Amino acid sequence: MATYKLYYFNGRGRGEVSRLIFAAAGQKYEDIRFEGEQWPSHKSEMPLGQLPVLEFNGVKLPQSISIARFLAKQFNLAGKDNFEQAQVDAVVDTIADLVNKFIAVRFEADEAKKQELGKTFFAEELPKQLKNLETLGKLYGKGGAFFVGNQLTWADLLFYDVGESLLGAEANALDNFTFLKQNRAEVAKLPKIAEYLKSRPVTPF
Ligand SMILES: N[C@@H](CCC(=O)N[C@@H](CS)C(=O)NCC(=O)O)C(=O)O
């Protein structure tokens, strides 16, 4: 029987999308969460010295997006055919563009620069990327609430999680984006996801 271990910190960060994929698939796995002080003694055990890492049947795989894409393929959450998978990847890449900009703001050490970056991000960059995502959802979602092909894929799960962080920083962020709001609501209603969200450990950003 296949075995899965997911190593990450006690945060959602780059690991939560894989946890959501496991939850949606109803697949058991070991959810290993390092505390900050434990990490230095484990860093050298990881292929690239970073997390998340998935251990699949005893072999370690780094890179959050590669991990999530592999899991999605394992559990039929990647899109029904090659072209749907490419559409899912386009949504994921667009979310990644947004996340990279968001992270740059959050982790800026210089407070004045952070304020400046934050202003531009929330006023310009975020609405632009959300509009792009809304466009892709309407184009590929076949009139339904999911991003691609009218069924759940890992693009929906990734956006669900990223949306949580965006709304935490800016409560009105999705107000002008009906598809995106509906998409997150539908994901949260799926029975396995609803159960997971209710029972997951408190997991910060
Ligand atoms: N491109 C990598 C980036 C991984 C990454 O930056 N991981 C951070 C946590 S989110 C990390 O391991 N930091 C601890 C360290 O580098 O020692 C991915 O997407 O997995």
Side-chain angles (χ1 to χ4, degrees):
M1 202 180 60
T3 59
Y4 298 88
K5 291 184 192 180
L6 182 70
Y7 300 87
Y8 195 55
F9 300 104
N10 186 30
R12 288 184 291 106
R14 297 183 195 269
E16 190 67 9
V17 62
S18 290
R19 297 188 186 116
L20 284 164
I21 293 170
F22 282 125
Q27 173 66 47
K28 284 206 164 43
Y29 70 106
E30 259 186 81
D31 184 17
I32 298 159
R33 299 176 181 224
F34 293 127
E35 295 301 333
E37 67 274 13
Q38 295 175 302
W39 172 234
S41 60
H42 291 281
K43 190 172 167 76
S44 65
E45 297 163 4
M46 302 302 155
L48 304 181
Q50 286 194 313
L51 297 176
V53 162
L54 175 75
E55 191 173 321
F56 174 65
N57 292 341
V59 180
K60 287 183 174 132
L61 177 73
Q63 293 291 3
S64 56
I65 296 294
S66 303
I67 293 168
R69 187 179 290 118
F70 165 70
L71 293 174
K73 286 182 177 168
Q74 288 288 90
F75 308 131
N76 299 319
L77 292 167
K80 282 201 298 287
D81 55 32
N82 273 341
F83 195 49
E84 271 202 10
Q85 291 184 11
Q87 293 168 5
V88 168
D89 286 344
V91 174
V92 166
D93 286 342
T94 307
I95 298 172
D97 287 348
L98 188 166
V99 167
N100 289 335
K101 298 252 164 57
F102 190 35
I103 285 177
V105 176
R106 280 193 88 117
F107 293 101
E108 173 55 56
D110 180 314
E111 196 47 46
K113 205 166 161 200
K114 184 173 177 151
Q115 294 294 328
E116 206 46 49
L117 284 174
K119 256 194 242 157
T120 315
F121 176 77
F122 286 107
E124 293 168 27
E125 196 57 41
L126 181 61
K128 184 177 105 188
Q129 297 294 356
L130 292 175
K131 187 162 176 286
N132 286 344
L133 286 168
E134 182 106 347
T135 299
L136 294 183
K138 288 177 180 163
L139 190 60
Y140 301 144
K142 298 195 172 156
F146 296 122
F147 271 106
V148 177
N150 216 356
Q151 64 179 26
L152 181 75
T153 67
W154 69 289
D156 303 299
L157 297 171
L158 179 61
F159 186 71
Y160 182 83
D161 184 56
V162 168
E164 188 169 337
S165 301
L166 292 173
L167 290 169
E170 171 57 67
N172 303 324
L174 300 184
D175 281 3
N176 297 327
F177 302 96
T178 47
F179 172 85
L180 298 177
K181 273 207 294 198
Q182 178 68 11
N183 174 260
R184 291 193 76 252
E186 290 299 320
V187 169
K189 268 199 290 194
L190 296 168
K192 286 182 179 141
I193 295 297
E195 179 54 36
Y196 172 72
L197 295 176
K198 205 167 59 179
S199 62
R200 70 179 169 182
V202 174
T203 309
F205 178 74

